[in-house]
Amino acid sequence: MPLQKISEFDTDYHNTLGKDIKGMGVYVQGTDEKIGTVSDAVVDDQGAFRYLILDLGFLIFGKKVLLPIGKSRIDSTADRVYVVSMTREQAENLPEYQENTALDYDYEEKVRGVYRTPSVESSAPLDAISTARLTTPTYDRNAYNYAQEPDLYDVNAHEDQTFKLYEERLVANKQRRKTGEVAIGKHVETETVTVAVPVERERVVIERVTPKDAGKVVSAETANFGEGEVVHVELYEEVANVHKEAFLREEVRVQKVVDRETVEVEETIRREELDVDAEGSTIEEKTGKLPKDRI
C-alpha cells in the first residue's frame, strides 16, 4: 500500500477532519510529560491514517520518527496526542524520519520492529526476557496487511477516540454603507419684469376765442397798448421712480427619514457527516467508534 503525507492525499484535509492535527503536543499517556509535537501525518491510498510523524525535540533534539496510529490516542478537545506504551528506549531506537525518507516496506519494518519489542521491566527474570524476544512475530512482505497488527494500526485497540463533526451556520449582521449624497443649496436667478406706473404730465393749451363784446369801443385808458408783456406758466410732470426690496418668499426644510425593509441573504454552508466504512463488520453507532483502519 503506497503511503503519502495527508496533505498530498487531501489538500483540504484540515476542513475534512475539522482540525489541523499538525502542531498538537505529544504526551506520554496518563501524564503531563511532553515528548514532542505532531509534525505531519501519513495515510495509505485509501486515506486511512497509518502513522503520525513526531518531532521529538522535547525528548531527543532534532529527531523525527514515525508513530503507528494505533499507538496514539488523539484528544482534539485538549489539542493533545497521547502515546500508548512508548518508552525512551524505543524512541532512541526508532529510525530517524527525514523528508526524503522512502516509506517502503523495509523502512516500515524497521519502525514496526521497535514497537514490536515487548516492554519488559528491568526487574524481570532473564528467562522472561528471552521468551519475549523469541515470540516476536515475523511477516511475509508480499502478503503483509496492516490488519495483521491491530496493536499498531487499529485505533480501537486502545481507548476510544474523539472525533468531532463540525457544521457552519449563518450569522446575520448589518453594516452601514454610503449609497449616495444629496447636495442642497441655492442660487440667484434674474429676470426682467415690467411694472405699470400711472404718471401725470402738464402741458399748455393756448386757445384764441372771440369775446362776446368784440367790436365794442373802449376808452383810450382801457386800451393800454404796450410791448414786452410776458406770461410765465410752469409745467410739471411725474416721473416713475422704481426701487427694489427683498422679502421672505418661502422656507425649505431638509431632513432624513429611515425606510425599513427585510432583505433575504442566501449563502452556502457546510456540515460534516460521519462516514462509516464497516468493511463487513457490525458497528453500533452509539459507541462512537470508527471502523477498523480509520481514524
Side-chain angles (χ1 to χ4, degrees), residues 262-295:
T262 301
V263 297
E264 293 184 353
V265 180
E266 187 177 275
E267 184 58 87
T268 301
I269 62 175
R270 298 172 297 175
R271 181 177 62 229
E272 295 179 341
E273 296 290 350
L274 190 64
D275 294 327
V276 178
D277 183 5
E279 298 184 357
S281 61
T282 301
I283 296 177
E284 295 184 8
E285 185 177 349
K286 66 181 180 180
T287 63
K289 294 183 178 180
L290 293 174
K292 185 176 295 186
D293 293 342
R294 302 287 179 187
I295 185 171

Side-chain angles (χ1 to χ4, degrees), residues 34-224:
K34 187 173 183 178
I35 62 174
T37 57
V38 177
S39 174
D40 214 321
V42 176
V43 298
D44 62 18
D45 56 353
Q46 300 299 315
F49 277 65
R50 294 307 177 194
Y51 299 97
L52 296 179
I53 302 177
L54 305 187
D55 185 342
L56 300 179
F58 284 83
L59 191 62
I60 305 173
F61 180 76
K63 185 175 183 179
K64 292 183 179 179
V65 299
L66 294 187
L67 173 70
I69 195 63
K71 289 290 186 179
S72 69
R73 184 176 67 83
I74 300 175
D75 186 346
S76 58
T77 303
D79 281 338
R80 288 186 174 190
V81 175
Y82 292 100
V83 179
V84 180
S85 303
M86 182 177 182
T87 64
R88 183 184 181 90
E89 181 183 2
Q90 285 179 320
E92 292 175 345
N93 292 334
L94 280 169
E96 184 174 3
Y97 172 83
Q98 297 179 348
E99 292 299 321
N100 59 352
T101 299
L103 298 176
D104 53 18
Y105 178 84
D106 292 330
Y107 180 79
E108 285 190 88
E109 272 298 294
K110 294 179 182 178
V111 175
R112 287 191 285 258
V114 176
Y115 288 105
R116 288 170 186 154
T117 303
S119 178
V120 181
E121 298 292 340
S122 59
S123 59
L126 293 177
D127 57 344
I129 300 176
S130 300
T131 303
R133 290 177 178 172
L134 291 175
T135 57
T136 302
T138 57
Y139 299 93
D140 181 0
R141 66 183 299 129
N142 297 319
Y144 181 82
N145 188 288
Y146 293 113
Q148 293 175 287
E149 296 188 88
D151 186 59
L152 297 183
Y153 300 106
D154 185 358
V155 294
N156 295 322
H158 304 285
E159 297 183 15
D160 293 342
Q161 306 289 312
T162 301
F163 195 83
K164 291 186 175 181
L165 299 179
Y166 291 86
E167 180 178 354
E168 293 179 329
R169 63 185 177 189
L170 293 182
V171 178
N173 202 350
K174 298 184 295 184
Q175 62 179 7
R176 290 173 60 88
R177 65 176 182 178
K178 184 177 180 180
T179 59
E181 182 176 339
V182 178
I184 301 174
K186 62 180 183 178
H187 67 281
V188 178
E189 291 185 354
T190 61
E191 62 176 325
T192 302
V193 297
T194 302
V195 58
V197 181
V199 296
E200 294 180 351
R201 181 182 296 114
E202 296 178 341
R203 59 190 176 87
V204 175
V205 178
I206 300 175
E207 183 180 4
R208 300 177 71 172
V209 299
T210 301
K212 292 181 179 181
D213 55 353
K216 181 180 179 181
V217 178
V218 296
S219 63
E221 292 81 6
T222 303
N224 185 17

Side-chain angles (χ1 to χ4, degrees), residues 186 245-252:
K186 62 180 183 178
E245 62 181 6
F247 65 96
L248 179 63
R249 188 179 84 240
E250 66 177 315
E251 187 176 69
V252 178

